Amino acid sequence: MKSLIGVSLLASALFFFAPPLPEAPTGFDNKSNGLVDDATHAADQAKFEETEAISDGLGPLYNAQSCRECHQNPTSGGSSQVNVLRVGHRGADGIFQDPEIPIARGTEIIKGRSLVNDRAICPNGTLPSTEIQERVPDTEKIRTFRVSLNLLGDGFVEAVSDQTFVDLAREQCKKHHNKICGQVLYVPVVEAPGQTAVGRFGWKDQQASLLSFSADAYLNEMGITSRLQPDEITNLCNTVSEPNDKPGHEGFSDIDRFARFLRASEAPARDSQVAQTSKARLGAELFDKVGCDICHVQTLTTAAVGTKVNGGAFTVPPALGDKQFHPYGDFLLHNVGTGDGIVQSMTEHYGKNVYKTTWRNLSIPEFQNTANKIRTAPLWGLRLHSRLMHDGASVTLLDAILRHGGEAAHVTEKFEKLKPAEKEALLEFLRSL
Ligand code: HEC
Ligand code: HEC
């Protein structure tokens, strides 16, 4: 008996003294988090900021000329007010269908994506640029805007193991009696054909890998192909023979530099002055007490250094592994009553050849299930966002909170029952993030 007590005391002592994992570095100072040296990081940042021209393959259909145009606040890699347009319709079976958008006086129909590009050019002059502009037909009844996301700190998010999200979803659902159950969605990792990983990036968790996302954004936001997205949206009007990024160039092309820039970025820093006030500290307690933290999870930890993530395509480096960080999000999909009805398109995000590969764990019904779900918005850097929620349609914190229904309805009710001073404290806490 005595020795048993001794053993359990020792065990609890060990548990008690297990040192906390080191914190992921934070800041908006453009420094590297240690993944690369600051000079390399600055060079990668310059790529991210570069204004692409026709000679780089820009267009014909596009939204902006550089990543930075939409990811800039308060510094490159942050978010912005820029939003993008997505539309579609429901088919006879009730299932979401991508839009069909005629361009060039109906001679070509753009299919296989929900994104609609706001700009168009015809560099080779075969058509007037004005003829290839995408415009939404009235038949596309499902319509939404999606605001640009913050990318700073995303290297830490990418380095979280799939199992961490699977466990988080399971425990959340169990603890809240099946009322709050985040959905885990396995998505293709484009650079690891056949492999999937738990989606964590984009408003719909449509990507797991920052390299896959970079290739997706380069093509769909800027019209520039790469080895991972080699097919143009349309073959009309192109001048540059692409991709300029051929197999064998892994590690050196633009998409690799974008991904490395994001992986090396520091996480958003809090406003420490506001965070220290007694009001904000009370607000933090109330945030947990009413249950905001069920989805807006304060702390996550990255996988151990050397773990393979992204279906084996990325090995967690020392700068990213074994760290704790504070995203105030679970990166899971929830129905909080704000769903936009859109199911992310396979061909848009994973390439026109997506159906030629068999992807481990890929489930089309699971994708369908996301139509009215949105990823919990991570609240790190929240004080820098002037437009809130996926559509940017809420412009005050209070409005954003009161829009939470569905799975969050009970938590919203509890928030509404707080005394005015308590509500104000909770909002003050949010203003410290
Ligand atoms: C026209 C604006 C625009 C441009 C240009 C743009 N993005 Fe984005 N970005 C967005 C929007 C909007 C989202 C959210 C998309 C969604 O989920 O529907 C996003 C999301 C992302 C995400 C996911 C972040 C997260 O944490 O979930 C990454 C990564 C990203 N962009 C990288 C890039 C890179 C790299 C480039 C340049 C090649 C780029 N973006 C260019 C608007 C843009
Ligand atoms: C069931 C999960 C869940 C709970 C509980 C929850 N949220 Fe959210 N929260 C979300 C989701 C999902 C979104 C994104 C919704 C959208 O964009 O349509 C979101 C978005 C937000 C946003 C907007 C952030 C941005 O950058 O646009 C704020 C602010 C926010 N939540 C605060 C709170 C607060 C405060 C509470 C507690 C009173 C709370 N949430 C409870 C899931 C949740």
Side-chain angles (χ1 to χ4, degrees):
M1 191 62 192
K2 207 173 174 188
S3 71
L4 256 184
I5 293 171
V7 167
S8 72
L9 272 179
L10 183 69
S12 51
L14 281 176
F15 178 74
F16 193 73
F17 290 116
L21 288 174
E23 292 279 337
T26 62
F28 296 109
D29 55 9
N30 302 325
K31 290 215 172 76
S32 161
N33 60 27
L35 180 78
V36 293
D37 57 55
D38 284 335
T40 307
H41 192 54
D44 289 342
Q45 177 171 335
K47 255 290 160 226
F48 184 89
E49 293 173 347
E50 191 173 281
T51 301
E52 305 295 343
I54 288 167
S55 56
D56 302 304
L58 182 74
L61 306 178
Y62 67 111
N63 279 335
Q65 282 182 265
S66 96
C67 304
R68 181 185 195 256
E69 258 185 74
C70 305
H71 299 290
Q72 193 272 337
N73 192 42
T75 185
S76 289
S79 60
S80 80
Q81 83 284 10
V82 178
N83 60 31
V84 302
L85 174 60
R86 284 185 188 274
V87 305
H89 59 274
R90 253 186 281 281
D93 49 8
I95 287 178
F96 177 81
Q97 303 285 331
D98 288 324
E100 297 200 349
I101 302 193
I103 58 168
R105 303 197 189 282
T107 54
E108 178 146 338
I109 312 276
I110 304 297
K111 297 180 187 155
R113 63 202 299 245
S114 59
L115 190 72
V116 181
N117 286 128
D118 289 300
R119 307 185 198 178
I121 43 172
C122 191
N124 70 7
T126 49
L127 292 164
S129 294
T130 47
E131 286 188 14
I132 66 157
Q133 176 63 46
E134 286 192 283
R135 286 182 305 263
V136 179
D138 285 313
T139 44
E140 305 302 340
K141 297 287 186 207
I142 297 176
R143 303 158 190 174
T144 192
F145 291 116
R146 295 227 194 117
V147 83
S148 303
L149 286 163
N150 163 69
L151 318 178
L152 300 170
D154 273 355
F156 298 99
V157 181
E158 188 183 38
V160 173
S161 74
D162 286 355
Q163 194 60 42
T164 299
F165 292 118
V166 171
D167 292 345
L168 182 59
R170 195 184 297 128
E171 277 157 34
Q172 186 179 69
C173 196
K174 207 171 125 196
K175 199 162 161 205
H176 301 285
H177 314 291
N178 300 321
K179 296 219 170 67
I180 300 183
C181 296
Q183 183 189 344
V184 160
L185 183 70
Y186 284 91
V187 299
V189 178
V190 184
E191 64 272 30
Q195 298 298 319
T196 56
V198 174
R200 57 199 70 182
F201 296 122
W203 284 104
K204 291 267 184 174
D205 278 342
Q206 63 265 31
Q207 296 287 3
S209 144
L210 291 171
L211 185 60
S212 293
F213 210 122
S214 296
D216 177 347
Y218 216 18
L219 179 67
N220 289 301
E221 304 291 359
M222 295 162 71
I224 301 178
T225 56
S226 63
R227 67 179 188 279
L228 298 183
Q229 291 279 3
D231 298 305
E232 290 283 358
I233 305 299
T234 168
N235 290 319
L236 296 176
C237 295
N238 281 292
T239 42
V240 182
S241 90
E242 297 166 65
N244 44 27
D245 164 19
K246 297 204 170 55
H249 269 96
E250 290 85 354
F252 302 103
S253 71
D254 292 358
I255 57 169
D256 300 295
R257 284 166 202 240
F258 302 147
R260 188 171 61 187
F261 170 62
L262 301 179
R263 284 170 179 158
S265 65
E266 297 170 312
R270 287 187 67 181
D271 181 329
S272 52
Q273 215 178 322
V274 176
Q276 278 166 15
T277 60
S278 52
K279 193 171 164 189
R281 287 216 297 261
L282 171 66
E285 280 170 29
L286 292 165
F287 183 84
D288 294 355
K289 198 173 144 203
V290 299
C292 307
D293 69 333
I294 301 167
C295 304
H296 295 285
V297 173
Q298 181 185 356
T299 304
L300 290 178
T301 56
T302 61
V305 175
T307 307
K308 284 196 186 305
V309 295
N310 292 349
F314 185 60
T315 304
V316 174
L320 301 176
D322 295 308
K323 298 278 183 299
Q324 56 169 315
F325 63 104
H326 310 292
Y328 293 91
D330 58 6
F331 297 91
L332 303 173
L333 293 160
H334 291 275
N335 183 339
V336 295
T338 58
D340 56 16
I342 291 175
V343 177
Q344 299 294 131
S345 156
M346 290 286 146
T347 47
E348 175 182 341
H349 300 291
Y350 319 115
K352 287 189 178 157
N353 286 330
V354 63
Y355 293 114
K356 292 190 183 149
T357 307
T358 309
W359 302 89
R360 192 179 61 92
N361 280 338
L362 186 69
S363 156
I364 301 299
E366 283 289 295
F367 264 80
Q368 297 301 343
N369 198 13
T370 66
N372 284 311
K373 294 183 181 174
I374 307 273
R375 175 186 79 172
T376 302
L379 301 182
W380 54 3
L382 177 66
R383 70 185 186 284
L384 304 163
H385 302 172
S386 51
R387 302 179 190 200
L388 304 168
M389 308 295 266
H390 69 279
D391 50 11
S394 308
V395 297
T396 71
L397 291 169
L398 190 60
D399 283 356
I401 295 170
L402 297 180
R403 257 178 91 186
H404 286 61
E407 288 179 62
H410 186 55
V411 173
T412 310
E413 265 169 46
K414 281 197 182 161
F415 171 81
E416 287 188 276
K417 287 195 186 125
L418 292 176
K419 299 190 189 92
E422 291 176 322
K423 279 187 194 157
E424 188 41 48
L426 197 151
L427 295 177
E428 185 72 355
F429 161 68
L430 294 178
R431 290 189 281 263
S432 77
L433 295 178

